[in-house]
């Protein structure tokens, strides 16, 4: 019974990693421009903004940094999903 639940969670984690990789592949300049505009609005509107450093980074970073970030995060998640059973 435990093996089936572990397999289901492994597949779910693999799917989350795949989502990050696919989003990173489809991340374009237009999506980055939308994120940049939203970050600028957040910086103007909220005084006590917990993720202010992230909004400042999004405003300053070029679009390809987002693509590399999402692909890297997805790759690490997939790697952990594939090797998780043997590592832990």
């Amino acid at each position: 019974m435990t093996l089936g639940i572990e397999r289901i969670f492994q597949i779910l984690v693999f799917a989350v990693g795949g989502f990050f990789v696919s989003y990173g592949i489809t991340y374009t300049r237009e999506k980055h421009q939308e994120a940049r505009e939203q970050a600028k609005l957040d910086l103007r509107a909220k005084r006590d903004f917990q993720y202010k450093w992230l909004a400042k980074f999004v405003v300053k970073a070029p679009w390809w940094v987002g693509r590399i970030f999402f692909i890297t995060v997805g790759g690490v998640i997939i790697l952990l999903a594939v090797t998780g059973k043997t590592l832990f």
Side-chain angles (χ1 to χ4, degrees):
M1 182 70 184
T2 307
L3 184 62
I5 292 172
E6 290 173 356
R7 181 67 63 189
I8 291 170
F9 280 122
Q10 186 177 17
I11 291 169
L12 287 174
V13 170
F14 189 77
V16 169
F19 170 76
F20 271 95
V21 170
S22 69
Y23 190 79
I25 291 171
T26 61
Y27 194 78
T28 60
R29 292 178 185 198
E30 291 79 24
K31 286 185 181 180
H32 183 70
Q33 186 63 29
E34 290 172 12
R36 179 180 284 174
E37 290 170 4
Q38 184 62 41
K40 286 179 182 177
L41 289 174
D42 288 344
L43 285 172
R44 277 190 227 131
K46 300 174 183 169
R47 296 282 179 227
D48 188 24
F49 186 40
Q50 189 174 11
Y51 297 103
K52 190 177 253 186
W53 61 272
L54 182 60
K56 288 180 181 178
F57 178 75
V58 168
V59 169
K60 292 179 184 178
W63 73 273
W64 50 266
V65 172
R67 176 174 278 186
I68 292 171
F69 171 77
F70 285 115
I71 292 173
T72 304
V73 167
V76 169
I77 291 172
I78 290 173
L79 181 70
L80 288 175
V82 170
T83 61
K85 184 71 175 167
T86 58
L87 286 177
F88 304 108

